Structure formats: C-alpha cells, structure tokens
Amino acid sequence: MIYRGKISLGCALCRKRRLACDRGRPSCSQCLRVNKKCYGYRDPNALRVYDQTKEVITRSATVERIVPQPVSITNDDRAISHLFHYYVGTVQNPGVMSYLPALLSTDPSPALQATIKAIGLASIPRRPELKRLAAEQYGIALRATNNALRHPDSALSDSTLGAVFLLGGYEMITCQASDFLHNWINHVHGATKLLELRGAGQLDTQAGLELFIIVRIQNAISSMFFRLPSHSYNSPKIAALSEAARAKGNQHFQPIEDLFDLLVEMNDLYIEADGAKLNHESIESWIARALHLDAKLQSWAISQSSFWQYTVVDRSLGNHIYPMYGDRYHVYNSVVIASIWNHYRQTRIILNQIIKSMSLRLGALQQTPEYQLLVLECIANIAQMADEICASVPYHFISGEVVFGGTFRLLWPLFFAAKFAPTESAVREWILHTLDEIGRSTGLQQAIGMSKVVTEENLSLILPVA
C-alpha cells in the first residue's frame, strides 16, 4: 500500500489546467472566466491510498526515466489569474471587482475581456516588460468598447458598462501625476451617461445594481474636481434611478442611499460656494446651511445599526498591525462598510474645509470671535476625520479581502485627509508615506500621483474659496 499525499481540492478543470482554484460556490472563478461548467470539488478528507504492489514489482525490474511535461502559461492567463486573485477575490472574501464573474458568465464581450487583460497585465508589479502588452490590450479594449457603444443592444449591456468603468481602473493603475484625474474622470463620466441610458432594468441584476452604486458615488466625487453643476452628478434620471435602487436593497443597504443623498447636498453647497459672488449676508446664510448639513452627517453616523458599526482596538493590547498610525485601529464587518464610512469622513473633511474658508472670510469682515471659534471647530473636525481614516487602514490589510483590492478603496479618503492636514504634520507625512507604499507595492500609480499632488501643494483642483 502507498500514500500518494494530500489530494488537490480544486475542481477537475483547474487540476487539468494546473491552475489555482478558489473553490468558489456554486462555481470557481476560473471556470466562470472561461465560461465552463464547474463540476464541484472532491472530498478533502479522502486519503489517496492505493494498492500498488504490482506496479512496484514492475518498476523494481525496469526503472523508467520520468520526463515532466512542460506547462505553458500565457501572459493572458497570468493577467487574468492575477486580476481574479487580487481584485475579484472569493465568495467568502469578495474584492473590489467582485461583480466580474457574473459579467463574464452572462456576457463575456470582447470589450470586457480585453479590459480585464489590460488591467491584469498593468497591475502585476515589478514586471515592466508586461506594460507594453497592457497598453496593447488597452487599445484593443478601447476599440472594442467603442464598437459596442455603436450598437443599441450591446451599448446598454452590463458587460459594456463594466468595460467602460474598468477602463477608468486601468487609468488608476497606469496614470502619471500630471494626469491622475482627467483620464479616470472621463471614463467615470462616460459610465454615468450609460447609467442614464440603461434605465431601471439595470437594477434587476446583482452586477448591474453593484455597478450602478459604484459608478454613481465615484461620479459624485469626481464632479467636485471640475466644479460641475448638479445635473452632472444628480440628473433627474440618476435621481429617479436612485429611488428605484433604494427599493431594491435590504435594510443594510439603506445607509448607502442615505449617505449618497447627503453627498449630493454637499456637492450642491460646494458648487454654490464656488460660483456665487457671496456678500456678507449670503456668507452667513451659506455657513448656517453648511453647519446644518454637517449635523445631518453626524446624525447619519450615530444612527447606524450594529451591523454598520465598527470596533476600536487599542494597540496597548499588543495588536500592532502594519501599516498603523497612532494607538488605535478599527475593525469593521466588511471592507465595503469601511469604505462607506470613509466616504462619510472625506465628505465631512471637505465640508468643514469650506466652512473654515468661509468663516475666515467672514471673520475678516466682521472681526468677531464667533467665527474664530468656528474655524477652530472645523480644524478639530478635519483632524478627527483624518485620524479615523488612518485608523481604518489596517483593517484593509487584515480583513481577508485581498490587499490590492482593498487599497483601491483607500486612495480617495487618504488623499483628502492628507490634502487638508496641516503642512508637516505627523498625520500628513504618514499618509503620504502610505500612498507611496501602496503605489510601489501594488502598481497603483494613482496612489503615487496623489502623493505628489499633495506634496506640490497644488490646490487649484479643489476648493476655490479662500
């Protein structure tokens, strides 16, 4: 009798192709990727013990030379495997692109497949020879996406929306500091136009609903950089779709919709502060409404159920995790929940920064201590939100979600926290170091670009009020 070792737990197709199998349910991601039926997995408790007496006798008489067969792994296979492992994740620990298997299983369009290959090749760190191949796939993806957009049926498919949105992800990975916003924003705004055209039917699939939520929030954030009017981030069609989306979700889904409503209100105030020639009375009115919105944001935070709340862990207990700032870090129920909390924090940072700027302007006109105190209160609020964003960072590395996917969710909160932190402050330096480390370790060039924008003190993109 002979023991052949522990059996492979992967599905038959993955064992045949010698690929890592994530054993997802009901189908592993590798089978979904190639649109093949997954026949499940073998019993992990089984022992591979066989009676090989005759075989051993035969081999004792004739020793055969065993020549291993070469296994060919193409760059496409490597790219797709990398993307699925680091950005899609598993059913138990979904990544930032968890909607991809559903898209590939229902409509593996040429545009979507080329975009996935481009992102996968571009995001493999320390492999500069793959960057040229990534750029070639990106060109193929652009042409295939434009072709899909010319036809009414394919233009409105989940697969085409996913391709357009993911093209923005490619820009996040490959961009330089000088253009870290523009190309990404163009893709996000293009995806938003598709949301408007696709109608309520897009909310009937899980992938469609998830894409709608992601694109809508990112568009609202990006609109601030170009100071666009409200119809760019909350058009009547988007507003109606948001109401329909609210009805689709369960009770745990509602806080996302509530926060988006507050984000829209924040953007409206931002545009008004930027575009209007505010006088003494209108500044006072604006500050009053902004303070009311900040109170509503705080009410959102304290009203969340236990499912949405997080635990604060003290480092004095011996739980030191890298990267870690300060003496405490947060533990959430999921990375998605952590991301929504950070959207809340970055919104309050921007809002309090504008309130601070308006109060300084009004204080210069009135010379009253009331607005000097308000400035100090805004500074304290910004510092608190920045500290909480930093405290959320370790969880993205210990949550079970693959780190590359988690870092996507951290970029904007870290950027805003660093942007409005005091120059040469400890928190600002820690965030800049963390962004640089994320960029170097994961290949996300946008992280490095954001760090450079903060370092160069280029405030022209944000908050025009002085």
Side-chain angles (χ1 to χ4, degrees), residues 198-345:
R198 279 157 50 86
Q202 67 186 300
L203 307 176
D204 293 336
T205 66
Q206 184 60 38
L209 180 61
E210 188 172 347
L211 281 168
F212 174 79
I213 294 169
I214 296 171
V215 172
R216 185 189 54 174
I217 289 180
Q218 291 207 10
N219 185 59
I221 294 171
S222 69
S223 293
M224 288 187 292
F225 289 97
F226 287 104
R227 306 161 198 169
L228 299 177
S230 62
H231 63 74
S232 65
Y233 53 84
N234 193 41
S235 67
K237 289 183 179 179
I238 294 294
L241 287 168
S242 296
E243 286 301 312
R246 183 186 291 271
K248 295 285 183 180
N250 57 34
Q251 59 177 338
H252 298 317
F253 177 84
Q254 301 310 317
I256 300 175
E257 294 304 305
D258 294 338
L259 183 61
F260 178 75
D261 291 342
L262 295 174
L263 181 58
V264 169
E265 190 173 342
M266 159 66 207
N267 269 339
D268 290 342
L269 276 172
Y270 172 83
I271 297 299
E272 181 180 336
D274 178 33
K277 299 296 184 182
L278 299 177
N279 55 30
H280 183 107
E281 290 76 15
S282 59
I283 292 178
E284 285 187 327
S285 173
W286 188 96
I287 290 177
R289 287 185 290 126
L291 290 172
H292 181 62
L293 174 58
D294 195 49
K296 289 165 69 174
L297 283 163
Q298 294 177 71
S299 178
W300 177 92
I302 64 177
S303 65
Q304 298 308 317
S305 66
S306 59
F307 177 82
W308 275 86
Q309 294 298 336
Y310 55 90
T311 303
V312 180
V313 180
D314 197 316
R315 182 163 65 172
S316 63
L317 301 177
N319 299 310
H320 181 70
I321 299 171
Y322 176 84
M324 186 170 176
Y325 174 79
D327 296 324
R328 296 176 179 178
Y329 66 92
H330 298 167
V331 175
Y332 300 81
N333 283 332
S334 74
V335 175
V336 172
I337 290 177
S339 178
I340 296 301
W341 273 101
N342 281 339
H343 280 307
Y344 153 78
R345 292 165 184 141

Side-chain angles (χ1 to χ4, degrees), residues 18-38:
R18 301 188 183 185
L19 296 176
C21 182
D22 61 14
R23 304 183 69 236
R25 305 287 181 179
S27 174
C28 78
S29 60
Q30 298 287 4
C31 290
L32 285 174
R33 179 176 62 81
V34 296
N35 201 22
K36 298 288 187 181
K37 182 176 181 180
C38 187

